[in-house]
């Protein structure tokens, strides 16, 4: 592939170079397969293919407007949509569950290698959930909290307790619409039941359950995942690191950790720091070990340890094509089944690590529960042993890497804004009210091989900070910004509008804040809730000048996230469409009707410049409704204003 053609598919030079190399090495990637899959099924794309029972598959056309059972396009599209939301909810929530189970083991002293790293966050969580914490042993608190969290999955009759962390008014809306979720598992089982042949046929009823299920994700499984990760591994604080394929080093053993659940990546982070392991690497002739991450597990260990990020989801194969990766360790989610086929062309070993996620061609190694550090060290040693198998002529590590600052948990933002002793969102609220900051945008989600990787995200990020919008990012979108150098406070500040620049300079934050992995989108809800509670910007999430956007999404998880944002009252822009166009009614509800129920809906905008304009307009409308738009005429700040900041 020519370099110029590669640059139509990816935005950064490192990735483009690896695409060129892939062709030279005769290696197929997802970018090639996007070509071979070019003619995608129109029925699938419009959501009107039903294969829920074996009288079908049925497909809706003008000539055959109903399935064999009589299901209309509306029913079929809505059923498919609900199943997608449930898939996404399951992924985040099962990840959360694994962490809760780990917390319980830790509390009982049954999880060697793990501990409660952040007692402050443990107590804070206990307080939020009404668990007795004063003068109690941390393990006793953790055990109660873990049991309470487990019940969030199991609850049959009552509602999720985590919902109570939302602003009162929002809880009232969920109550009024009948979409307060019971236990997370129950919501997903109910989704599967309702979408099976001959059960729920009312598209609106199905869509409302989609929102209800998504709430069990954002205000349930995902939120719990973030809380428990913070308790076990520490609440993130601002940290420096680097991103892109250039973080790999020719002279070190390179190990990539790819997937999502931090239990594994945390343990590997410990293992590579072990002096004995370092010595072992030396004896193999390497100048140490480089551990780097791919996808959201990268974000987890970046946020807490500053471990460098090799790339986002569409770079997973490209990283192996450098020829310099000794081992890629995968767990769950977003790990392509095509990885072993790429690895075959090099010396890279692909190691799968969890019984719920096996990959043909990967070697399956289970962590020893009674001594995970030992297992991790064995893995690292195996990677070191593989160092000698490199084929020199196949190694080409692109030099591109960018420094970054990440680690913005809500607590960290609060501390940065208010200072150590008066941690508070007040300065942010004031900056929004005074129109130094126009509003806040949560820019999240994946890359999608149908779009030029990172392009939409990068254009939009620049357009928004120019116009004084503060950005909160997570997931692959945050990695895109990192690679583009947008997470460097100084570079971004050169581009930011005057008001935003002033706030960022005063507080010492970059205008693009990296909040973590995809489950950490719950942190964006948490931040928005803090803004509401701080006062002055309305009493509900729907009133805050805030918008969510998933410019390059592809995963069911992103659909669940979008739904819980909308159900929480935050408008969501999609950079590419849902598969719902086959039903006018479903499309209408998601892209318009939901507004009446939740104060927010979805907006499909496939062009980043148009999205920027639309976002500004949406933020302006919210500002107008709050009566804070008048001040927008004020142009320059005098010294008094500056001091007030
Ligand atoms: Ni979230 Fe997308 Fe995957 Fe993370 Fe990246 S692809 S839905 S951003 S790594 S989960
Ligand atoms: Fe066809 Fe109805 Fe069966 Fe779906 S549930 S495959 S529409 S008969």
């Amino acid at each position: 592939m020519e370099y110029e053609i590669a640059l139509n598919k990816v935005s950064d030079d490192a990735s483009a170079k690896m695409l060129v190399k892939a062709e030279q090495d005769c290696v197929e990637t997802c970018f090639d397969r996007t070509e071979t899959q070019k003619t995608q099924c129109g029925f699938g794309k419009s959501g009107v293919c039903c294969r829920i029972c074996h009288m079908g598959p049925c497909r809706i056309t003008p000539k055959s407007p109903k399935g064999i059972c009589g299901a209309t396009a509306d029913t079929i599209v809505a059923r498919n949509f609900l199943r997608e939301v449930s898939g996404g909810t399951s992924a985040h929530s099962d990840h959360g569950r694994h962490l809760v189970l780990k917390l319980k083991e830790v509390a009982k002293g049954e999880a060697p290698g793990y501990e409660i790293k952040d007692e402050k966050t443990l107590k804070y969580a206990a307080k939020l959930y009404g668990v007795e914490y004063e003068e109690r042993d941390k393990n006793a608190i953790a055990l109660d909290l873990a049991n309470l969290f487990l019940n969030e999955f199991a609850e049959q009759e009552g509602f999720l307790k985590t919902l109570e962390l939302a602003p009162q008014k929002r809880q009232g809306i969920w109550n009024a619409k009948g979409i307060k979720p019971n236990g997370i598992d129950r919501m997903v089982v109910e989704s599967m039941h309702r979408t099976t042949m001959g059960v729920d046929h009312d598209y609106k009823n199905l869509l409302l359950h989609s929102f209800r299920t998504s709430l069990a994700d954002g205000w349930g499984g995902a939120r719990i995942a973030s809380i428990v990760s913070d308790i076990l591994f520490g609440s993130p604080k601002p940290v420096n690191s680097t991103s892109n394929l250039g973080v790999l080093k020719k002279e070190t053993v390179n190990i990539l950790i790819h997937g999502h659940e931090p239990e594994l990546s945390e343990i590997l982070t410990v293992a590579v720091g072990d002096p004995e392991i370092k010595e072992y690497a030396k004896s193999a002739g390497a100048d140490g070990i480089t551990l780097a991450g791919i996808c959201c597990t990268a974000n987890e260990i970046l946020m807490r340890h500053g471990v460098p990020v090799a790339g986002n989801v569409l770079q997973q194969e490209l990283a192996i094509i450098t020829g310099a990766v000794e081992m890629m360790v995968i767990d769950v989610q977003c790990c392509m089944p095509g990885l072993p086929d790429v690895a075959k062309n090099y010396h890279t070993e692909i190691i799968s690590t969890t019984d719920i996620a096996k990959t043909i061609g990967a070697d399956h190694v289970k962590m020893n529960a009674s001594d995970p550090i030992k297992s991790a060290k064995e893995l690292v040693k195996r990677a070191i042993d593989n160092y000698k198998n490199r084929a020199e002529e196949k190694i080409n590590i692109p030099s591109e890497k960018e420094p970054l600052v990440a680690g913005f948990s809500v607590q960290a933002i609060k501390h940065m804004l208010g200072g150590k002793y008066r941690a508070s969102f007040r300065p942010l609220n004031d900056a929004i009210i005074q129109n130094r900051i126009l509003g806040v945008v949560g820019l999240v989600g994946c890359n999608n091989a149908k779009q030029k990787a990172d392009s939409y995200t990068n254009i939009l990020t620049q357009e928004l900070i120019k116009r004084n919008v503060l950005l909160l990012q997570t997931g692959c979108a945050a990695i895109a910004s990192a690679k583009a150098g947008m997470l460097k406070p100084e570079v971004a500040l050169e581009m930011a509008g005057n008001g935003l620049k002033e706030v960022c300079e005063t507080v010492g934050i970059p205008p693009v804040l990296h909040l973590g992995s995809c489950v950490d989108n719950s942190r964006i809800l948490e931040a928005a809730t803090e803004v509401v509670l701080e006062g002055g910007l309305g009493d509900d999430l729907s009133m805050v000048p805030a918008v969510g956007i998933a410019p390059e999404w592809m995963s069911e998880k992103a659909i669940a996230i979008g739904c819980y944002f909308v159900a929480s009252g935050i408008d969501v822009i999609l950079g590419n469409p849902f598969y719902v166009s086959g039903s006018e009614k479903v499309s209408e509800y998601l892209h318009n009707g939901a507004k009446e129920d939740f104060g927010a809906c979805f907006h499909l905008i496939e062009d980043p410049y148009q999205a920027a304009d639309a976002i500004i307009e949406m933020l302006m409308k919210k500002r107008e409704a709050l009566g804070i738009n008048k001040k927008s005429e004020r142009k320059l700040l005098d010294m008094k204003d500056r001091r007030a900041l």
Side-chain angles (χ1 to χ4, degrees):
M1 190 182 304
E2 293 190 17
Y3 191 69
E4 279 64 38
I5 296 177
L7 274 178
N8 293 328
K9 298 171 190 285
V10 293
S11 297
D12 64 281
D13 292 329
S15 296
K17 285 177 191 167
M18 288 307 101
L19 272 178
V20 174
K21 183 172 188 288
E23 193 171 278
Q24 287 162 358
D25 293 357
C26 299
V27 176
E28 181 196 87
T29 68
C30 62
F31 296 93
D32 303 306
R33 292 186 296 269
T34 306
E35 298 303 319
T36 51
Q37 290 287 345
K38 198 127 218 169
T39 7
Q40 288 183 320
C41 171
F43 298 104
K45 271 176 125 170
S46 56
V48 295
C49 171
C50 181
R51 37 163 311 219
I52 271 168
C53 89
H54 281 228
M55 293 192 281
C58 299
R59 324 183 288 188
I60 301 301
T61 65
K63 274 201 188 135
S64 51
K66 283 182 181 166
I68 292 171
C69 65
T72 61
D74 301 332
T75 303
I76 293 172
V77 169
R79 274 199 301 225
N80 288 339
F81 187 77
L82 173 53
R83 285 203 167 187
E84 290 186 291
V85 171
S86 302
T89 299
S90 305
H92 291 144
S93 299
D94 215 28
H95 163 170
R97 181 207 321 277
H98 295 151
L99 285 161
V100 175
L101 290 171
K102 186 58 74 190
L103 179 67
K104 186 165 177 173
E105 286 170 14
V106 170
K108 294 203 291 185
E110 292 168 0
Y114 295 90
E115 61 179 336
I116 291 165
K117 281 236 181 80
D118 193 339
E119 217 175 315
K120 214 171 136 199
T121 298
L122 171 74
K123 288 188 173 159
Y124 181 66
K127 190 174 163 195
L128 286 180
Y129 284 89
V131 170
E132 196 54 59
Y133 63 95
E134 267 166 303
E135 284 166 47
R136 281 186 86 197
D137 169 61
K138 65 176 177 183
N139 288 323
I141 305 171
L143 186 60
D144 282 356
L145 199 59
N147 283 326
L148 186 151
F149 284 150
L150 284 179
N151 195 55
E152 292 287 79
F153 292 88
E155 180 63 55
Q156 300 298 311
E157 293 162 305
F159 299 113
L160 281 187
K161 275 194 93 66
T162 308
L163 295 181
E164 292 166 25
L165 304 183
Q168 281 293 334
K169 195 162 175 188
R170 192 44 44 179
Q171 294 181 45
I173 292 170
W174 295 333
N175 205 17
K177 300 288 164 204
I179 62 156
K180 276 170 82 179
N182 311 108
I184 300 156
D185 293 352
R186 212 202 120 172
M187 288 302 94
V188 176
V189 170
E190 191 176 312
S191 297
M192 294 310 284
H193 177 196
R194 286 168 69 163
T195 51
T196 201
M197 192 266 171
V199 187
D200 198 353
H201 303 132
D202 178 335
Y203 77 95
K204 179 81 185 290
N205 210 33
L206 287 160
L207 292 178
L208 283 176
H209 189 64
S210 304
F211 285 111
R212 182 166 172 231
T213 302
S214 78
L215 288 176
D217 179 1
W219 294 94
R223 183 72 180 267
I224 291 169
S226 297
I227 295 173
V228 177
S229 299
D230 288 354
I231 293 171
L232 286 174
F233 310 122
S235 194
K237 295 184 187 72
V239 62
N240 291 303
S241 189
T242 39
S243 66
N244 214 346
L245 297 172
V247 305
L248 300 173
K249 294 194 192 106
K250 180 130 196 241
E251 60 284 0
T252 65
V253 172
N254 293 312
I255 302 176
L256 289 174
I257 169 88
H258 173 19
H260 281 75
E261 297 186 2
E263 292 105 295
L264 176 68
S265 45
E266 283 280 335
I267 286 286
L268 274 171
T269 309
V270 175
V272 297
D274 188 284
E276 173 208 331
I277 292 289
K278 286 183 174 166
E279 211 32 64
Y280 194 76
K282 280 235 163 74
S283 67
D287 190 15
I289 304 162
T290 297
L291 178 73
I294 300 266
C295 281
C296 274
T297 215
N299 289 323
E300 299 277 354
I301 44 177
L302 164 69
M303 296 278 284
R304 298 194 178 86
H305 305 285
V307 170
V309 181
N312 42 7
V313 65
L314 294 184
Q315 286 179 292
Q316 55 187 286
E317 294 167 310
L318 304 181
I320 297 173
I321 291 165
T322 61
V325 176
E326 274 56 58
M327 181 179 278
M328 178 184 270
V329 185
I330 59 177
D331 61 354
V332 292
Q333 299 171 29
C334 305
C335 303
M336 291 185 183
L339 286 170
D341 280 340
V342 178
K344 230 167 35 200
N345 298 280
Y346 306 93
H347 71 305
T348 309
E349 288 190 284
I350 309 284
I351 307 290
S352 59
T353 51
T354 158
D355 287 350
I356 67 163
K358 292 191 176 179
T359 292
I360 300 289
D363 196 22
H364 195 64
V365 176
K366 249 184 103 167
M367 293 284 122
N368 176 352
S370 60
D371 197 347
I373 302 264
K374 187 171 160 233
S375 304
K377 281 205 239 169
E378 280 164 11
L379 265 187
V380 176
K381 278 189 176 166
R382 183 168 158 181
I384 295 170
D385 291 341
N386 195 20
Y387 181 67
K388 61 174 184 299
N389 297 325
R390 280 187 182 185
E392 273 307 309
E393 71 284 1
K394 282 198 169 174
I395 299 179
N396 180 3
I397 306 175
S399 57
E400 287 78 13
K401 58 177 173 187
E402 278 292 337
L404 67 98
V405 181
F408 293 96
S409 60
V410 170
Q411 284 308 318
I413 299 174
K414 245 179 157 174
H415 275 116
M416 306 252 357
L417 286 170
K420 196 170 172 209
Y421 300 103
R422 274 185 306 139
S424 148
F425 266 67
R426 193 70 248 160
L428 176 64
N429 283 33
D430 288 342
I432 296 174
I433 291 166
Q434 293 153 2
N435 201 20
R436 280 184 264 263
I437 292 177
L438 192 69
V440 181
V441 164
L443 196 161
V444 309
C446 331
N447 297 107
N448 184 326
K450 288 193 222 168
Q451 292 164 275
K452 176 176 167 179
D454 300 341
S455 170
Y456 193 136
T457 298
N458 292 344
I459 294 170
L460 184 62
T461 298
Q462 290 197 21
E463 286 300 311
L464 290 177
I465 64 171
K466 258 195 253 169
R467 304 190 213 179
N468 295 315
V469 174
L470 179 68
L471 281 160
L472 309 183
Q473 296 191 345
T474 60
C476 289
I479 299 176
S481 284
K483 289 189 287 172
M486 300 298 290
L487 302 187
K488 292 185 290 194
E490 62 291 358
V491 169
L493 277 179
E494 284 163 20
M495 301 181 188
N498 283 335
L500 178 63
K501 190 185 298 183
E502 271 189 52
V503 175
C504 291
E505 269 176 343
T506 314
V507 179
I509 51 171
V512 182
L513 302 180
H514 188 333
L515 269 71
S517 66
C518 240
V519 294
D520 290 329
N521 283 319
S522 65
R523 295 191 202 272
I524 298 181
L525 293 181
E526 190 190 353
T529 303
E530 292 276 352
V531 166
V532 170
L533 297 180
E534 189 55 50
L537 290 171
D539 57 357
D540 179 42
L541 296 168
S542 64
M543 299 177 77
V544 177
V547 176
I549 174 157
E552 302 175 40
W553 74 277
M554 59 86 187
S555 165
E556 288 175 333
K557 291 180 282 179
I559 305 182
I561 294 163
C563 283
Y564 72 65
F565 267 63
V566 166
S568 300
I570 300 171
D571 279 294
V572 171
I573 296 176
L574 304 167
N576 61 64
F578 286 145
Y579 294 153
V580 297
S581 63
S583 162
E584 247 172 61
K585 286 183 181 146
V586 170
S587 301
E588 207 288 327
Y589 183 72
L590 292 174
H591 295 98
N592 187 29
K595 190 122 202 158
E596 211 166 289
D597 286 339
F598 306 118
C601 63
F602 289 102
H603 310 262
L604 173 64
I605 306 178
E606 292 175 273
D607 173 82
Y609 296 99
Q610 280 174 19
D613 291 343
I615 287 171
I616 301 299
E617 209 183 299
M618 288 172 179
L619 295 176
M620 285 299 206
K621 266 199 192 146
K622 300 262 163 172
R623 299 183 62 85
E624 224 145 80
L626 287 166
I628 56 173
N629 235 7
K630 301 182 253 352
K631 294 184 183 162
S632 63
E633 281 130 43
R634 196 176 67 171
K635 281 177 202 87
L636 279 169
L637 298 169
D638 57 22
M639 273 320 280
K640 208 176 109 219
D641 293 324
R642 278 171 197 268
R643 251 179 251 124
L645 248 179

